Amino acid sequence: MPVIEKIHILGAAGSGTTTLGRTLAVQLGYQHFDTDHYFWLPTKPPFQVKRDVQDRQQFLAKDLDSADRWILSGSLCGWGDIFIPKFELVVYLWIPKDLRMERLLKREIQRYGAAAVKANGKRHAAANAFLEWAAGYDEGGLNMRSKMLHEQWLAALPCKVLRLEGDLSVEERAAAIHTCTNVP
């Protein structure tokens, strides 16, 4: 079995794609890239202004082409479909909604501070809007980042797809992927 050198990890917000991508990159000695870095312009606070689609594609293409072995975490369905031919393995992560939402709330508090996220805080409305959007993943339609969209996208891929569903640890997920990559 040949060594798999180009891996894409996707799932719902809060499913652990970035954490797993970073961990695997260190373990395997691969470059790690995250779609948020390409999707959003750098702002303070972050995640406020979307980057133009063509700029995202050019920016990501440059980085992917500069590395022999890489892991790309995050969702790029639609805007990043031009990269599908590069993928040798796509890993889909799914965890229960309540666990995802708990993780996302903790992340919002860690990122912006509890005072900013709580009622009447300066980030309260933005945090609530983000959490409401993320909560729609499992039931959402094809017009948003959703399980339905990801399932449709995964079904059309020409490469191997590994599904890791449930509350698995990062170590358990990484071990499952190691068996697919054939990296010593």
Side-chain angles (χ1 to χ4, degrees):
M1 174 169 60
V3 173
I4 291 178
E5 299 177 324
K6 294 166 177 56
I7 302 168
H8 176 46
I9 303 170
L10 77 150
S15 64
T17 62
T18 303
T19 300
L20 181 59
R22 286 182 184 145
T23 300
L24 273 176
V26 169
Q27 291 175 352
L28 299 174
Y30 286 23
Q31 288 286 113
H32 175 250
F33 306 108
D34 191 82
T35 58
D36 279 344
H37 181 68
Y38 305 93
F39 189 87
W40 299 101
L41 287 169
T43 58
K44 290 194 183 199
F47 315 118
Q48 302 299 304
V49 180
K50 294 177 185 178
R51 192 183 305 269
D52 176 72
V53 172
Q54 186 175 5
D55 291 344
R56 283 180 227 163
Q57 292 170 337
Q58 290 174 349
F59 189 20
L60 180 55
K62 180 179 177 237
D63 283 350
L64 294 180
D65 291 344
S66 73
D68 293 327
R69 294 179 173 185
W70 47 257
I71 297 168
L72 175 64
S73 58
S75 184
L76 50 59
C77 298
W79 73 265
D81 288 352
I82 64 169
F83 300 105
I84 290 173
K86 295 181 179 291
F87 304 150
E88 296 173 355
L89 172 66
V90 171
V91 180
Y92 173 69
L93 305 181
W94 181 89
I95 62 172
K97 179 179 179 177
D98 59 338
L99 180 56
R100 277 191 317 101
M101 298 312 297
E102 179 183 317
R103 287 180 179 182
L104 289 172
L105 179 58
K106 285 181 183 176
R107 188 172 76 188
E108 289 292 293
I109 290 169
Q110 180 182 25
R111 185 174 282 156
Y112 303 110
V117 173
K118 72 177 184 179
N120 298 320
K122 64 181 178 182
R123 294 280 312 156
H124 179 71
N128 276 357
F130 169 68
L131 293 171
E132 184 177 315
W133 168 82
Y137 176 81
D138 288 299
E139 299 83 22
L142 295 175
N143 61 334
M144 64 176 285
R145 183 172 170 184
S146 66
K147 189 168 187 352
M148 181 186 291
L149 176 67
H150 281 164
E151 291 291 352
Q152 182 181 60
W153 192 81
L154 291 165
L157 292 176
C159 65
K160 181 175 182 163
V161 174
L162 175 64
R163 294 170 177 273
L164 299 175
E165 300 187 9
D167 187 14
L168 303 172
S169 69
V170 174
E171 294 77 19
E172 289 170 316
R173 290 172 167 182
I177 294 169
H178 278 285
T179 64
C180 294
T181 58
N182 201 31
V183 175

